[in-house]
């Protein structure tokens, strides 16, 4: 059935497994983060890798974001083709093919930006931009001890000077994303570590200024450190992503308001799954397995029915198992359960669209148009 036919229907009647977005919660989450950033004089440059949906990116821009981050060239293409400006690719772009594609996006959006962490790569970007008579905006990517991408802090200014001397590149500042601290459960420990890394990045930003290098942008931060990194005066904008939809991994970290929960952003995204077999007293089998719910991150939690002790576990590609607390009420074949997903980004990437709801009724279908854009 065409998903549009479900508009006006209760979410409990949807064809499962499927993803449902509660628009009231999503709007609130976007407003909460925007207001938080503004209260610290920061801008948002939210990451679209979480939702992979240009409709949600548009809501973020309308709420006041200065631009949108993506991880991949192919994600950027979707946004640029839909008219987005100020797109930043937060990972280095390394091959000639991808660099050529990046230049296509730059030719449409002169504010298009990418990070670099390697001198040869910067030269390749410069040569490609020069050939197309374009100028590419660049941030130096700083590695906060995570070892994923970025130059170490000591090499930051040298990389900045190198970029500055390449005429078809336009240096704009630095990026530092401390992904390895985002999910530390203790808010105090996360604060201590994030401050430690981000202060070092801020020092590089100040060195840029002293050296006369352009230092307009210092971008970083995730949902786990949104309350922490905003205290760094040099930080100009926040690349938060997961706060929009949320997942079990993030809900179960401490925040300034609660030692074991990130209470400021309730889950806007849930997954519906149906009981397809109920022949045991201790558990039932549901229709969401590895292909419907990505196996990484936190433990998915059952929101509805709200029975303490219900536990989801993966049972292969197509199936999941809900273990029942004893004594529990009996579950019937055909009954639908609602869960918070374990890790939002890779789960969203498994679906073509979100069912958008208000008060439990489907109001719209939004394509996950960056789904599968992993190149
Ligand atoms: C470079 C970068 N920036 C921002 C984000 C968004 O972070 P979060 O989902 O923790 O809010 C990510 C997520 O992995 C990222 O890799």
């Amino acid at each position: 059935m065409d998903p549009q036919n479900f508009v006006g229907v209760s979410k409990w009647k949807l064809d499962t497994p499927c993803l449902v977005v509660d628009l009231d919660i999503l709007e609130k989450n976007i407003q909460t983060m925007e207001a938080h950033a503004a209260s610290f004089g920061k801008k948002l440059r939210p990451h679209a890798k979480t939702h992979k949906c240009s409709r949600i990116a548009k809501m973020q821009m309308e709420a006041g974001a200065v631009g949108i981050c993506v991880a991949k060239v192919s994600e950027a293409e979707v946004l640029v083709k839909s008219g987005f400006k100020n797109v930043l690719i937060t990972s280095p772009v390394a091959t000639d093919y991808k660099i050529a594609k990046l230049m296509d996006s730059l030719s449409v959006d002169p504010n298009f930006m990418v990070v670099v962490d390697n001198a040869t790569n910067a030269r390749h970007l410069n040569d490609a931009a020069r050939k197309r008579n374009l100028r590419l905006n660049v941030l130096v990517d700083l590695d906060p001890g995570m070892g994923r991408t970025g130059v170490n802090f000591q090499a930051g200014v040298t990389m900045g000077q190198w970029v500055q001397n390449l005429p078809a590149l336009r240096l704009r500042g630095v990026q530092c994303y401390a992904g390895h601290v985002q999910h530390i459960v203790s808010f105090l420990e996360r604060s201590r570590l994030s401050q430690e890394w981000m202060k070092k990045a801020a020092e590089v930003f100040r060195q840029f200024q002293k050296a006369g290098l352009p230092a307009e942008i210092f971008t970083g931060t995730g949902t786990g450190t949104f309350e922490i990194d905003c205290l760094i005066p040099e930080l100009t904008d926040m690349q938060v992503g997961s706060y929009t939809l949320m997942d079990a991994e993030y809900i179960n970290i401490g925040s300034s308001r609660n030692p074991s929960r990130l209470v400021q952003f309730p889950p806007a995204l849930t997954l519906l799954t149906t009981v397809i077999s109920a022949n045991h007293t201790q558990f039932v089998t549901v229709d969401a397995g590895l292909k419907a719910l990505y196996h990484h991150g936190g433990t998915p939690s059952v929101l509805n029915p709200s029975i303490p002790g219900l536990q989801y576990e993966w049972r292969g590609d197509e199936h999941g198992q809900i273990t029942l607390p004893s004594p529990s009420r009996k579950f019937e074949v055909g009954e639908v359960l609602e869960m918070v997903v374990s890790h939002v980004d890779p789960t969203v990437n498994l679906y073509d669209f979100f069912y958008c709801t208000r008060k439990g009724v489907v109001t719209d279908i939004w394509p996950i148009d960056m789904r599968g854009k992993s190149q």
Side-chain angles (χ1 to χ4, degrees), residues 251 253 255 257-258 261-266:
I251 285 165
I253 64 168
S255 58
R257 302 198 188 160
N258 183 306
R261 273 182 93 77
L262 210 176
V263 286
Q264 289 94 328
F265 300 103

PDB file of all heavy atoms in Angstrom, residues 251 253 255 257-258 261-266:
ATOM      1  N   ILE A 251      19.364   8.728  25.618  1.00  0.00           N
ATOM      2  CA  ILE A 251      18.412   8.996  26.703  1.00  0.00           C
ATOM      3  C   ILE A 251      19.000   8.568  28.044  1.00  0.00           C
ATOM      4  O   ILE A 251      18.751   9.180  29.078  1.00  0.00           O
ATOM      5  CB  ILE A 251      17.074   8.276  26.424  1.00  0.00           C
ATOM      6  CG1 ILE A 251      16.340   9.052  25.332  1.00  0.00           C
ATOM      7  CG2 ILE A 251      16.197   8.180  27.666  1.00  0.00           C
ATOM      8  CD1 ILE A 251      15.226   8.298  24.704  1.00  0.00           C
ATOM      9  N   ILE A 253      22.023   8.756  29.278  1.00  0.00           N
ATOM     10  CA  ILE A 253      23.214   9.396  29.852  1.00  0.00           C
ATOM     11  C   ILE A 253      22.735  10.500  30.808  1.00  0.00           C
ATOM     12  O   ILE A 253      21.630  11.027  30.669  1.00  0.00           O
ATOM     13  CB  ILE A 253      24.163   9.981  28.774  1.00  0.00           C
ATOM     14  CG1 ILE A 253      23.502  11.106  27.983  1.00  0.00           C
ATOM     15  CG2 ILE A 253      24.687   8.870  27.858  1.00  0.00           C
ATOM     16  CD1 ILE A 253      24.490  11.899  27.126  1.00  0.00           C
ATOM     17  N   SER A 255      22.538  14.173  32.698  1.00  0.00           N
ATOM     18  CA  SER A 255      22.533  15.565  32.231  1.00  0.00           C
ATOM     19  C   SER A 255      22.643  16.462  33.457  1.00  0.00           C
ATOM     20  O   SER A 255      22.666  15.970  34.584  1.00  0.00           O
ATOM     21  CB  SER A 255      21.231  15.848  31.474  1.00  0.00           C
ATOM     22  OG  SER A 255      20.132  15.585  32.320  1.00  0.00           O
ATOM     23  N   ARG A 257      20.452  18.003  34.748  1.00  0.00           N
ATOM     24  CA  ARG A 257      19.203  17.952  35.512  1.00  0.00           C
ATOM     25  C   ARG A 257      18.894  16.595  36.127  1.00  0.00           C
ATOM     26  O   ARG A 257      17.991  16.465  36.941  1.00  0.00           O
ATOM     27  CB  ARG A 257      18.034  18.329  34.599  1.00  0.00           C
ATOM     28  CG  ARG A 257      18.211  19.700  34.008  1.00  0.00           C
ATOM     29  CD  ARG A 257      16.938  20.256  33.471  1.00  0.00           C
ATOM     30  NE  ARG A 257      17.251  21.482  32.750  1.00  0.00           N
ATOM     31  CZ  ARG A 257      16.468  22.026  31.863  1.00  0.00           C
ATOM     32  NH1 ARG A 257      15.322  21.467  31.577  1.00  0.00           N
ATOM     33  NH2 ARG A 257      16.824  23.136  31.259  1.00  0.00           N
ATOM     34  N   ASN A 258      19.591  15.558  35.657  1.00  0.00           N
ATOM     35  CA  ASN A 258      19.283  14.202  36.135  1.00  0.00           C
ATOM     36  C   ASN A 258      20.534  13.341  35.959  1.00  0.00           C
ATOM     37  O   ASN A 258      21.103  13.317  34.859  1.00  0.00           O
ATOM     38  CB  ASN A 258      18.105  13.659  35.295  1.00  0.00           C
ATOM     39  CG  ASN A 258      17.648  12.282  35.758  1.00  0.00           C
ATOM     40  OD1 ASN A 258      18.450  11.353  35.859  1.00  0.00           O
ATOM     41  ND2 ASN A 258      16.372  12.152  36.032  1.00  0.00           N
ATOM     42  N   ARG A 261      19.722  10.465  33.164  1.00  0.00           N
ATOM     43  CA  ARG A 261      18.886  10.666  31.962  1.00  0.00           C
ATOM     44  C   ARG A 261      19.124  12.031  31.341  1.00  0.00           C
ATOM     45  O   ARG A 261      19.300  13.035  32.035  1.00  0.00           O
ATOM     46  CB  ARG A 261      17.397  10.543  32.316  1.00  0.00           C
ATOM     47  CG  ARG A 261      16.927   9.095  32.244  1.00  0.00           C
ATOM     48  CD  ARG A 261      15.467   8.997  32.549  1.00  0.00           C
ATOM     49  NE  ARG A 261      14.624   9.047  31.346  1.00  0.00           N
ATOM     50  CZ  ARG A 261      14.447   8.041  30.528  1.00  0.00           C
ATOM     51  NH1 ARG A 261      15.067   6.898  30.724  1.00  0.00           N
ATOM     52  NH2 ARG A 261      13.647   8.154  29.491  1.00  0.00           N
ATOM     53  N   LEU A 262      19.120  12.024  30.000  1.00  0.00           N
ATOM     54  CA  LEU A 262      19.195  13.297  29.269  1.00  0.00           C
ATOM     55  C   LEU A 262      17.740  13.732  29.065  1.00  0.00           C
ATOM     56  O   LEU A 262      17.109  13.363  28.072  1.00  0.00           O
ATOM     57  CB  LEU A 262      19.916  13.078  27.933  1.00  0.00           C
ATOM     58  CG  LEU A 262      20.703  14.256  27.362  1.00  0.00           C
ATOM     59  CD1 LEU A 262      21.430  13.854  26.105  1.00  0.00           C
ATOM     60  CD2 LEU A 262      19.872  15.466  27.112  1.00  0.00           C
ATOM     61  N   VAL A 263      17.231  14.468  30.031  1.00  0.00           N
ATOM     62  CA  VAL A 263      15.788  14.726  30.068  1.00  0.00           C
ATOM     63  C   VAL A 263      15.329  15.847  29.137  1.00  0.00           C
ATOM     64  O   VAL A 263      14.146  15.955  28.828  1.00  0.00           O
ATOM     65  CB  VAL A 263      15.322  15.058  31.507  1.00  0.00           C
ATOM     66  CG1 VAL A 263      15.294  13.830  32.373  1.00  0.00           C
ATOM     67  CG2 VAL A 263      16.191  16.148  32.127  1.00  0.00           C
ATOM     68  N   GLN A 264      16.263  16.662  28.666  1.00  0.00           N
ATOM     69  CA  GLN A 264      15.842  17.831  27.878  1.00  0.00           C
ATOM     70  C   GLN A 264      15.267  17.459  26.507  1.00  0.00           C
ATOM     71  O   GLN A 264      14.539  18.233  25.915  1.00  0.00           O
ATOM     72  CB  GLN A 264      17.014  18.788  27.666  1.00  0.00           C
ATOM     73  CG  GLN A 264      17.452  19.524  28.923  1.00  0.00           C
ATOM     74  CD  GLN A 264      18.576  18.830  29.655  1.00  0.00           C
ATOM     75  OE1 GLN A 264      18.662  17.597  29.634  1.00  0.00           O
ATOM     76  NE2 GLN A 264      19.454  19.576  30.289  1.00  0.00           N
ATOM     77  N   PHE A 265      15.639  16.270  26.002  1.00  0.00           N
ATOM     78  CA  PHE A 265      15.202  15.891  24.649  1.00  0.00           C
ATOM     79  C   PHE A 265      14.517  14.517  24.674  1.00  0.00           C
ATOM     80  O   PHE A 265      15.173  13.484  24.547  1.00  0.00           O
ATOM     81  CB  PHE A 265      16.403  15.877  23.694  1.00  0.00           C
ATOM     82  CG  PHE A 265      17.082  17.205  23.600  1.00  0.00           C
ATOM     83  CD1 PHE A 265      18.272  17.443  24.261  1.00  0.00           C
ATOM     84  CD2 PHE A 265      16.491  18.248  22.895  1.00  0.00           C
ATOM     85  CE1 PHE A 265      18.880  18.684  24.215  1.00  0.00           C
ATOM     86  CE2 PHE A 265      17.092  19.499  22.840  1.00  0.00           C
ATOM     87  CZ  PHE A 265      18.290  19.718  23.500  1.00  0.00           C
ATOM     88  N   PRO A 266      13.182  14.509  24.810  1.00  0.00           N
ATOM     89  CA  PRO A 266      12.484  13.216  24.779  1.00  0.00           C
ATOM     90  C   PRO A 266      12.530  12.608  23.375  1.00  0.00           C
ATOM     91  O   PRO A 266      12.740  13.332  22.390  1.00  0.00           O
ATOM     92  CB  PRO A 266      11.050  13.577  25.166  1.00  0.00           C
ATOM     93  CG  PRO A 266      10.932  15.042  25.033  1.00  0.00           C
ATOM     94  CD  PRO A 266      12.300  15.653  25.039  1.00  0.00           C
TER      95      PRO A 266
END
